[in-house]
Amino acid sequence: AKKEYYDIIIVDWKMPDMDGIETTREIRKIVGSKVTIIIMTAYDWAAIEVEAKKAGVNMLISKPLFKSSLCSAFERIYSEKDCEKEKITQDFDFSGKKVLLVEDHLLNIEVAKKLLNAKKLTVEVAENGLQAIENFAQNEVGYYDAILMDIRMPVMDGLTAAKSIRHMRKADAKTIPIIAMTANAFEEDIEKTKDAGMNAHLAKPIEPLLLYQTIQSFLDKEI
């Protein structure tokens, strides 16, 4: 009605009369795909992510909201838009490299794979910490160049999985880079990832350039 253009729309999921997913569907009918729509929820993402994606949701953020989560989300959105406009940032080429992505949310998996595949990085997915341990144990030494590990997951969380990998007798168990990915960005959370044997910490939603730079920093150490 105001004939104004919005860059980002943040919608709560649980609302009276019309929930966030239905609101997203109605907004998409008006604006098409031009606007970034973020859904906030304090509930388990798994219950809504498939439906949310079909409705046109671009990103999910957990509640309670933290400043770091919002800033990271906006940085990612605008860095992607800047990349589309400029076509030039830092050049990354991860050809021949493979990472294990440990993540249980479909939207996050899709976004991460798109970002990583864009730089020619091969991605294998484990949907929880236990599956990550099994994948790492079953493949030969050096099969993965790095592990991107979510923290909050069903079956086994990322901290427990990282500790377990570090205690394996496999030759590269203590040296493979394990990069934490989590919406929790408090100092105490970062310390927990270090105590678990992780090498780096990335706040979610992941900022693409920082993701690439972090991976590159560990690959450079291999040379």
Side-chain angles (χ1 to χ4, degrees), residues 171-197:
D172 58 346
K174 289 181 171 57
T175 57
I176 186 169
I178 303 179
I179 302 167
M181 301 188 304
T182 173
N184 300 328
F186 292 119
E187 284 297 325
E188 62 186 71
D189 297 307
I190 296 174
E191 284 302 316
K192 286 178 182 178
T193 62
K194 291 179 180 177
D195 292 341

Side-chain angles (χ1 to χ4, degrees), residues 103-160:
E103 171 65 67
D104 64 309
H105 294 302
L106 294 178
L107 273 175
N108 287 346
I109 291 171
E110 183 177 331
V111 169
K113 286 183 72 174
K114 183 178 179 181
L115 290 173
L116 297 168
N117 290 159
K119 302 303 178 183
K120 301 179 181 177
L121 191 62
T122 301
V123 181
E124 290 189 2
V125 177
E127 295 182 357
N128 57 66
L130 182 59
Q131 189 178 343
I133 293 172
E134 293 171 351
N135 285 22
F136 181 74
Q138 290 170 1
N139 288 295
E140 67 270 15
V141 172
Y143 182 79
Y144 297 114
D145 294 282
I147 299 174
L148 300 175
M149 183 81 76
D150 187 27
I151 299 301
R152 294 177 60 187
M153 294 180 290
V155 184
M156 181 184 289
D157 64 78
L159 296 175
T160 304

